[in-house]
């Protein structure tokens, strides 16, 4: 994923507090009201350079998430998920309603792909300008922080939407690896960009990305999502709160976790709120990388070692969920899944011959001059 601090690279001017936000809350995770504390960087740049630097709109776009904000701010003003499948809403005729998350998820049509991308971006960018930025799109220039592996179809569709639909005065594309490094005050570094569909390791020298030394791997947020979901489906249990099936002794019968009890929204909640990386590394005796570890698979002695090496106080994690089939109940799964689900990112997927982030970093450093 792109660093949120991409938004603070390009400077800007101050704005009247009356125009910086609204009182409603954001469904995409970012606050609608612009924090007044972030205006200090804009004022400081004006005082430093003696003239008012023009404030720009910054778009940090990937294949799954769109972040929007003002240059000079410390964090995005608004974040939202992108979609790939659309239908006309029943209560809002003529408007497109997103159905599945991610631009290139399974089932995304191949025909007229760029037309669908334009339809997506028109709907979401108009909503961003109208409901969150609260300004006319013609009044500000736009800066796009692009990832190294952002498909060219997305860039073309985004440029057409910004110029022909929103009528912005200018669009500039900046490498996300460079903007992330500049926020740290550095011109040389190694940037690890962990996105939804892939992870890219990019060396940067003198604010120039060394594309020939870049190493990428498909192990990203989507791989973590699938790994976490498959592990919970395999090792988890669902216990209804009442009215469910019971055993002969009167205890509530445990049910196997299925797709109904473990929705995609529940898995995303687990990813964002409960997942963490264990400080204890897998012993070398299991191999580098462990052959029994791949997306959705953890076998043999490796599972036993995971169970014995947990750092949490509870061995079982419980979460209250609503299941359409069995009603409201408790979703239970071993705590080691919380600690070890992210191991797939570092170790890689041996079943698909996909290397992990650690090996990608080593290869990128070896290729760098």
């Amino acid at each position: 994923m792109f660093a949120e601090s991409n938004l603070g690279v390009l400077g800007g001017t101050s704005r009247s507090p009356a125009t910086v936000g609204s009182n409603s809350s954001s469904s995409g995770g970012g606050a609608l009201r612009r924090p007044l504390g972030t205006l200090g960087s804009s004022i400081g740049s004006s005082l430093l350079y003696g003239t008012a630097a023009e404030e720009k709109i910054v778009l940090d776009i990937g294949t799954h998430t769109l972040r929007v904000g003002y240059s000079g701010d410390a964090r995005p003003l608004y974040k939202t998920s992108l979609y790939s499948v659309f239908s006309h809403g029943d209560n809002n005729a003529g408007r497109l309603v997103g159905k599945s998350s991610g631009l290139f998820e399974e089932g995304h049509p191949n025909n007229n792909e760029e037309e669908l991308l334009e339809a997506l971006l028109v709907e979401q960018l108009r909503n961003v300008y109208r409901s969150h930025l609260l300004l006319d799109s013609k009044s500000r220039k736009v800066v796009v922080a692009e990832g190294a592996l952002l498909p060219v179809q997305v860039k073309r569709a985004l440029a057409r939407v910004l110029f022909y639909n929103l009528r912005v005065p200018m669009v500039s594309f900046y490498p996300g690896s460079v903007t992330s490094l500049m926020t740290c005050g550095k011109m040389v570094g190694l940037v690890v960009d962990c996105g939804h569909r892939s992870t890219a390791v990019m060396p940067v020298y003198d604010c120039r990305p060394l594309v020939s030394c870049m190493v990428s791997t498909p192990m990203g947020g989507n791989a973590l999502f699938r790994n976490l979901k498959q592990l919970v489906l395999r090792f988890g249990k669902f216990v209804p709160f009442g009215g469910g099936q019971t055993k002969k002794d009167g205890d509530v019968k445990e049910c196997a976790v299925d797709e109904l009890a473990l929705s995609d929204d529940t898995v995303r909640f687990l990813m964002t709120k409960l997942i963490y990386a264990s400080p204890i590394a897998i012993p070398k005796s299991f191999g580098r990388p462990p052959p029994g570890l791949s997306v959705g698979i953890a076998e043999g002695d490796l599972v036993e070692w995971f169970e014995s090496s947990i750092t949490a106080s509870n061995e079982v994690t419980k979460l209250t969920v609503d299941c359409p089939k069995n009603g409201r109940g408790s979703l239970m799964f071993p705590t080691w899944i919380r600690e070890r689900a992210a191991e797939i990112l570092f170790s890689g997927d041996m079943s698909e011959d996909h290397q992990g982030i650690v090996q990608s970093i080593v290869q990128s450093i070896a290729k760098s001059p």
Side-chain angles (χ1 to χ4, degrees):
M1 299 179 182
F2 303 123
E4 292 188 355
S5 53
N6 285 348
L7 302 175
V9 181
L10 299 168
T13 58
S14 60
R15 183 194 289 104
S16 171
T19 64
V20 299
S22 64
N23 293 326
S24 59
S25 60
S26 166
S27 61
L32 284 177
R33 179 176 293 277
R34 189 183 183 191
L36 295 180
T38 62
L39 297 177
S41 59
S42 301
I43 297 173
S45 62
S46 300
L47 296 176
L48 177 63
Y49 297 107
T51 58
E54 182 180 4
E55 193 173 44
K56 301 177 177 65
I57 301 300
V58 180
L59 301 180
D60 190 354
I61 185 171
T63 57
H64 185 271
T65 305
L66 172 66
R67 300 179 179 89
V68 183
Y70 295 97
S71 61
D73 286 1
R75 60 179 180 177
L77 183 69
Y78 177 68
K79 293 184 290 185
T80 183
S81 297
L82 299 175
Y83 300 92
S84 61
V85 179
F86 293 87
S87 64
H88 290 281
D90 297 333
N91 299 327
N92 200 358
R95 297 296 301 278
L96 294 176
V97 180
K99 291 297 182 182
S100 68
S101 183
L103 286 177
F104 299 102
E105 296 294 326
E106 296 180 0
H108 184 69
N110 293 323
N111 297 330
N112 300 324
E113 184 175 287
E114 292 194 27
E115 286 77 3
L116 289 174
L117 290 176
E118 289 185 31
L120 153 74
L121 295 172
V122 166
E123 290 294 325
Q124 297 215 356
L125 289 179
R126 280 179 177 172
N127 177 67
V128 165
Y129 273 96
R130 179 176 57 250
S131 303
H132 306 286
L133 295 177
L134 302 177
L135 51 79
D136 185 6
S137 60
K138 301 177 184 178
S139 62
R140 298 294 173 91
K141 298 177 181 179
V142 175
V143 171
V144 180
E146 57 169 329
L149 301 178
L150 184 67
V152 66
Q153 294 91 338
V154 178
K155 295 174 63 175
R156 284 200 299 254
L158 179 61
R160 282 195 294 267
V161 169
L162 291 174
F163 281 125
Y164 299 130
N165 295 90
L166 300 179
R167 302 291 181 178
V168 300
M170 188 182 74
V171 178
S172 302
F173 287 86
Y174 286 85
S177 56
V178 175
T179 56
S180 299
L181 201 60
M182 290 175 63
T183 58
C184 303
K186 302 291 184 181
M187 299 176 63
V188 179
L190 188 69
V191 180
V192 180
D193 184 1
C194 187
H196 177 66
R197 296 186 61 85
S198 62
T199 297
V201 182
M202 176 75 76
V204 178
Y205 181 78
D206 196 21
C207 289
R208 291 176 173 84
L210 305 181
V211 181
S212 61
C213 302
M214 182 190 70
V215 177
S216 63
T217 174
M219 308 311 297
N222 188 38
L224 176 60
F225 177 88
R226 292 185 289 114
N227 184 49
L228 176 61
K229 185 172 184 177
Q230 293 300 322
L231 290 177
V232 176
L233 287 174
R234 179 180 176 183
F235 296 99
K237 298 178 181 179
F238 179 79
V239 180
F241 282 156
Q245 298 179 350
T246 59
K247 300 179 182 179
K248 295 182 179 179
D249 56 3
D251 295 335
V252 178
K253 184 177 179 180
E254 297 177 347
C255 306
V257 180
D258 54 12
E259 298 285 347
L260 297 177
L262 189 65
S263 63
D264 289 349
D265 291 337
T266 302
V267 179
R268 293 189 184 97
F269 174 81
L270 296 177
M271 285 180 58
T272 55
K273 300 296 184 180
L274 299 181
I275 293 299
Y276 62 97
S278 175
I280 304 176
I282 299 177
K284 295 182 180 180
S285 59
F286 288 100
R288 286 288 188 270
L293 184 64
S294 59
V295 175
I297 299 176
E299 298 178 346
D301 297 337
L302 192 58
V303 175
E304 297 180 1
W305 186 85
F306 285 163
E307 294 174 348
S308 62
S309 64
I310 61 173
T311 59
S313 57
N314 297 325
E315 297 183 356
V316 178
T317 299
K318 297 181 181 180
L319 182 68
T320 301
V321 297
D322 292 321
C323 178
K325 180 179 179 180
N326 298 312
R328 193 175 182 85
S330 179
L331 175 64
M332 301 187 300
F333 57 90
T335 301
W336 65 262
I337 295 180
R338 294 176 55 192
E339 296 187 0
R340 299 297 174 175
E343 291 288 346
I344 198 70
L345 299 179
F346 306 108
S347 301
D349 188 354
M350 292 301 297
S351 63
E352 299 291 339
D353 198 21
H354 294 158
Q355 65 184 13
I357 296 178
V358 176
Q359 188 176 357
S360 299
I361 293 176
V362 173
Q363 289 186 5
S364 180
I365 294 175
K367 294 170 64 176
S368 300

